[in-house]
Amino acid sequence: MKDETKCLHSGYTPENGGPSVMPIVQSTTYRFDSTEHIGQLFDMPTAHMYSRFSNPTVECVEKKLADLEGGVGAMCTSSGQAASLLSILNLCSAGDSFISTSTIYGGTVNLFAVTLKRFGIECIFVDAEAGEEEISRAFRPNTKAVFGETLANPALTVLDIEKFAKIAHEHKVPLIIDNTFATPILCKPISFGADIVIHSTSKYMDGHALQIGGVIIDSGNFDWTNGKFPEFTEPDESYHGVVYTRDFGKTAYIIKARMQLMRDFGCYPAANSAFLLNLGLETLAIRMERYCENAMKVAQYFKNSDKIAEVYYSGLPGDKYYDRAKKYLPKGSCGVISIVIKGGKENAVRFMDGLKMASNEVHVADIRTCVLHPASATHRQLTEEQLIAAGVNPGMIRFSVGLENVEDILADIEQSLSRI
Ligand SMILES: *Cc1c(COP(=O)(O)O)cnc(C)c1O
């Protein structure tokens, strides 16, 4: 099936006479006929047991997301942050390190640089544009993963996924890609060598600003038996001696994430949340097309305006990442544009406050056009140095183009710019 079709048909197949729409299974628990059956489930979880870590409605969405990304399994989480956290904790323990590009979402920078550090896990930040040798030098014997964002929020840099996959694999560790902004409609990181893909589903996937959520998707391609990951190849005493690679083969990573981490952390979405997320997913493919079309027109408008100093949109000819976007994002560069207005922060605030239709809000990739000033909001906790590393200019505005008629979006921009 093609993506548009997967969005509608993957994950849930109605039985003869069954509901056409994926039902909400609103139940904490599941009933079994015998004590013995439940006992067996604790050895080998082949059915839903308890909704802290699995639920039939959420499972349908997980199957759809795995299918869209081309993975062998997926696990939903209650937020994108939880997906980032668990994707790392499934590989790293205290005393380990991992490598991340510095051009990533501000919340992830803080999670990696501050909170994981308190857990004894060190994140080594590298410049995404550094050469292979320089990035290779950052590896240590305890380095267990490499992390990057397809389209960085909010710098909108495009990651050379193949370069990072090659370097990670040379060092026998997996590449984790946060594919939130691109979505699997615009880019499928697994096809470029990524091993694990994560998302904040709160953005384009949900699409309607209804639900916070996240997901981790396993490509099934990484060889966990290469000697660097004993937690995958030795018996898990917390799970009756399960050996993930032996017992689950290609799905070792995602099953381990559920059986160990989701069991213990319990950041699983509710069935209702998955139902709403699924509504967003059903139209994801066609919505992404229109986001890209609208954003291209808005980016061109900004490019031609003498009040705008910089436009960052990799779909725009002349953008630093244009050629790379042609390879990784051939269908478009999503709806998010970053701009720097002439006159610094003062004019940035004036422009944002002057918008009548576009909302000033802490969100992005919404169905409605919205704007945010990263330096004073999502990236506020970062130091000046971290801001620069994350590609955030203090005067930068993140302009998230929605699905309104583009003429209305442009008229709103024009009336606000005219007052600067
Ligand atoms: C928003 C976002 C996150 C965090 O997701 P939440 O759902 O807000 O927890 C992670 N990565 C990227 C790229 C994001 O845009």
Side-chain angles (χ1 to χ4, degrees), residues 135-166:
I135 297 168
S136 287
R137 276 200 298 276
F139 282 81
R140 310 210 185 115
N142 68 0
T143 300
K144 296 290 175 65
V146 177
F147 186 99
E149 268 174 41
T150 311
L151 255 175
N153 174 6
L156 299 181
T157 53
V158 180
L159 189 72
D160 189 348
I161 299 174
E162 280 182 350
K163 173 178 87 174
F164 275 90
K166 178 169 173 269

Side-chain angles (χ1 to χ4, degrees), residues 79-81 84 105 108 149 153 178 180-181 200 202-203 212-213:
S79 69
Q81 284 294 99
S84 307
Y105 172 65
T108 315
E149 268 174 41
N153 174 6
D178 181 337
T180 298
F181 270 22
S200 162
S202 323
K203 313 296 166 54
I212 296 291

Side-chain angles (χ1 to χ4, degrees), residues 1-11 63-71 179 182-189 191 205 278 280-289 328 330-331:
M1 289 192 285
K2 304 271 191 279
D3 285 347
E4 292 79 358
T5 318
K6 285 181 182 176
C7 283
L8 289 163
H9 294 283
S10 282
K63 284 183 172 160
K64 180 176 286 188
L65 289 168
D67 203 17
L68 280 166
E69 283 287 10
N179 198 31
T183 80
I185 306 305
L186 302 180
C187 178
K188 295 192 197 300
S191 69
M205 286 187 168
N278 187 53
L281 290 174
E282 289 185 332
T283 58
L284 181 66
I286 53 164
R287 281 190 292 110
M288 291 316 292
E289 258 178 45
Y328 289 107
K331 291 192 208 161

Side-chain angles (χ1 to χ4, degrees), residues 44 60 71 95 134 149 163 221 286 300 328 346 352:
M44 189 56 78
C60 291
E134 186 183 337
E149 268 174 41
K163 173 178 87 174
N221 292 336
I286 53 164
Q300 267 155 352
Y328 289 107
E346 198 183 317
M352 289 173 58

Side-chain angles (χ1 to χ4, degrees), residues 91 99 101 144-149 159-169 172-178 189-190 192-198 217 219 222 224:
L91 301 170
I99 288 174
T101 67
K144 296 290 175 65
V146 177
F147 186 99
E149 268 174 41
L159 189 72
D160 189 348
I161 299 174
E162 280 182 350
K163 173 178 87 174
F164 275 90
K166 178 169 173 269
I167 299 171
H169 296 159
K172 294 183 151 73
V173 302
L175 174 64
I176 305 171
I177 292 290
D178 181 337
I190 291 172
F192 295 107
D195 301 287
I196 308 296
V197 176
I198 67 159
I217 296 145
S219 71
F222 193 79
W224 305 106

